[in-house]
Amino acid sequence: MKRSLTGIRATGEVHLGNYLGTIREALNLQQEYECFYFIADLHSLTTNKDPEALRNQSYDVVATWLALGLDTGKHILYRQSDIPLVTEFSWYLSCVTGMGFLQKAHSYKDATAKGQEVNHGVFAYPLLMAADILMYEPDLVPVGKDQKQHVEMARDMAGSINATYGEGLLKLPEVHINETVMTIPGLDGRKMSKSYNNVIPLFCTEKQLRKKIMSITTDSTPLEEPKVLKGTLLADLFVHFATQDQYKDLESRLSTGGLGWGHAKQELFEVINEDLKDARERYFELRKDTAALDALLKTGRDKALEVGQPVLDRVREAIGFKKLPVSFS
Ligand code: TRP
């Protein structure tokens, strides 16, 4: 079975945009691939300096992905920081990677363009990401469009290692971008993003979910007048959760007049709630039991190491390091 690998960067509350944009698609790959999912908490350190938040966010991610159907019997979920070997590997990649090459990374260029104080972690981000990937020899790396360049850089770095130390030493993976999922709009119509403060949380109480959905921006066409669903923010969200029939039905009832936007929003709430309700219940159950989550993470780490350790051993040997015997007599 071919292997797929993807890193999840935990950045606070998981929202509908994350779910529709990446999580759902990444989980669908479980049918066809052996999937490695990991929480990229070493990467989070470039921006997150709050230890408590860092710890909690890992649990949030684990519980979220499990609740949405990650099958840890067949696939692997682990935390990046549980396998510090990856930072060693990124050093080996550093030594075959030019400064000029790293300066071209969008993530670095964007950060400098915003006038941010850029730490070395931001600059070295693509190296660690390449190590994340190359250490586990995936065939496929599913990511969002914004991460495509990083995966291409990982391929280039693998090429440099192979050119220096021997062809075939590292495997070059393919990048997989899901083109069908568009940008998910937030409550105000802009891209759903924590930084715009317009997100609909994935797992909140039913009451909070309804309240959020009711706050979606609509125009002020009076109740009795005909309305066009297509092109509205409501439609852009509805289309991801409703069946085609449900969509057409709402569209036609709005077009005849007599149905207000408030009613339409209520229907949107209902389809979203229906989709999430079981997972939400599972999420809150799972999230409570951090000891059980730790046990899962430990299993994930052990399984990931079984794959990653031999790759790193091979690289060490190829670059000229010698393994010492365990004991001397
Ligand atoms: N950089 C990715 C993001 O911000 C997360 C990530 C880290 C990742 N390492 C990875 C994704 C390796 C795919 C493969 O979303």
Side-chain angles (χ1 to χ4, degrees):
M1 201 176 206
K2 289 195 168 181
R3 180 177 301 145
S4 149
L5 172 143
T6 198
I8 307 154
R9 195 172 160 157
T11 47
E13 197 170 38
V14 183
H15 56 73
L16 278 191
N18 303 134
Y19 171 55
L20 296 172
T22 44
I23 305 178
R24 210 157 62 166
E25 157 87 0
L27 286 172
N28 278 341
L29 291 170
Q30 291 183 112
Q31 267 107 53
E32 265 180 81
Y33 290 85
E34 175 198 27
C35 297
F36 279 44
Y37 303 103
F38 67 93
I39 300 142
D41 57 350
L42 291 170
H43 276 116
S44 296
L45 269 187
T46 59
T47 50
N48 188 343
K49 306 291 193 278
D50 178 345
E52 197 50 32
L54 203 60
R55 239 187 314 273
N56 278 322
Q57 283 169 8
S58 286
Y59 288 132
D60 293 346
V61 172
V62 174
T64 300
W65 286 63
L66 292 174
L68 292 172
L70 196 165
D71 178 354
T72 49
K74 297 200 183 106
H75 306 279
I76 301 181
L77 176 65
Y78 59 101
R79 197 163 40 193
Q80 189 185 27
S81 61
D82 286 328
I83 308 184
L85 289 177
V86 74
T87 58
E88 178 189 338
F89 194 6
S90 83
W91 176 253
Y92 302 148
L93 298 174
S94 272
C95 296
V96 295
T97 304
M99 293 285 286
F101 177 79
L102 288 174
Q103 272 158 358
K104 287 188 204 132
H106 299 312
S107 49
Y108 171 68
K109 287 209 288 198
D110 291 352
T112 31
K114 281 186 203 144
Q116 286 170 1
E117 166 82 19
V118 177
N119 59 46
H120 178 256
V122 173
F123 187 65
Y125 194 105
L127 290 162
L128 181 58
M129 181 153 162
D132 287 333
I133 297 171
L134 302 173
M135 204 165 124
Y136 301 100
E137 307 194 300
D139 299 282
L140 197 76
V141 182
V143 285
K145 278 196 203 111
D146 62 323
Q147 296 296 314
K148 183 167 179 241
Q149 186 198 27
H150 286 151
V151 183
E152 286 163 354
M153 290 173 89
R155 286 172 56 94
D156 287 343
M157 289 179 215
S160 301
I161 289 273
N162 290 351
T164 312
Y165 297 110
E167 285 312 321
L169 189 57
L170 293 177
K171 176 167 166 172
L172 274 62
E174 298 299 325
V175 58
H176 171 75
I177 311 283
N178 180 15
E179 302 286 358
T180 55
V181 180
M182 330 159 279
T183 305
I184 309 301
L187 294 171
D188 56 0
R190 290 186 293 175
K191 178 184 174 183
M192 191 179 290
S193 161
K194 231 182 43 153
S195 50
Y196 294 146
N197 199 16
N198 64 357
V199 308
I200 303 178
L202 183 59
F203 296 132
C204 52
T205 65
E206 213 171 281
K207 209 168 139 198
Q208 285 163 334
L209 180 64
R210 181 184 282 113
K211 200 166 158 212
K212 280 278 175 198
I213 290 171
M214 289 302 169
S215 74
I216 287 175
T217 316
T218 46
D219 65 31
S220 50
T221 318
L223 182 112
E224 61 280 0
E225 275 183 36
K227 299 172 189 63
V228 181
L229 179 60
K230 196 164 184 267
T232 63
L233 174 53
L234 209 147
D236 289 345
L237 288 169
F238 198 69
V239 76
H240 291 291
F241 293 95
T243 60
Q244 259 190 11
D245 287 346
Q246 280 172 321
Y247 186 94
K248 283 199 188 121
D249 177 52
L250 180 63
E251 190 170 42
S252 90
R253 281 181 292 124
L254 281 166
S255 69
T256 53
L259 192 74
W261 286 125
H263 297 105
K265 286 196 240 181
Q266 172 65 25
E267 290 185 29
L268 174 64
F269 161 73
E270 275 159 22
V271 285
I272 295 182
N273 193 46
E274 192 52 40
D275 189 277
L276 297 181
K277 132 175 137 213
D278 295 345
R280 176 199 301 137
E281 216 170 286
R282 282 195 297 274
Y283 173 79
F284 287 116
E285 264 317 292
L286 288 158
R287 184 62 183 82
K288 276 197 294 211
D289 192 352
T290 51
L293 299 179
D294 281 339
L296 275 171
L297 285 170
K298 183 179 174 311
T299 309
R301 178 200 61 189
D302 294 347
K303 287 198 209 157
L305 259 180
E306 270 172 40
V307 176
Q309 180 76 63
V311 176
L312 197 63
D313 287 347
R314 207 165 71 210
V315 172
R316 276 187 189 148
E317 176 157 352
I319 63 184
F321 293 154
K322 191 166 184 278
K323 207 173 183 176
L324 289 173
V326 181
S327 62
F328 294 93
S329 51

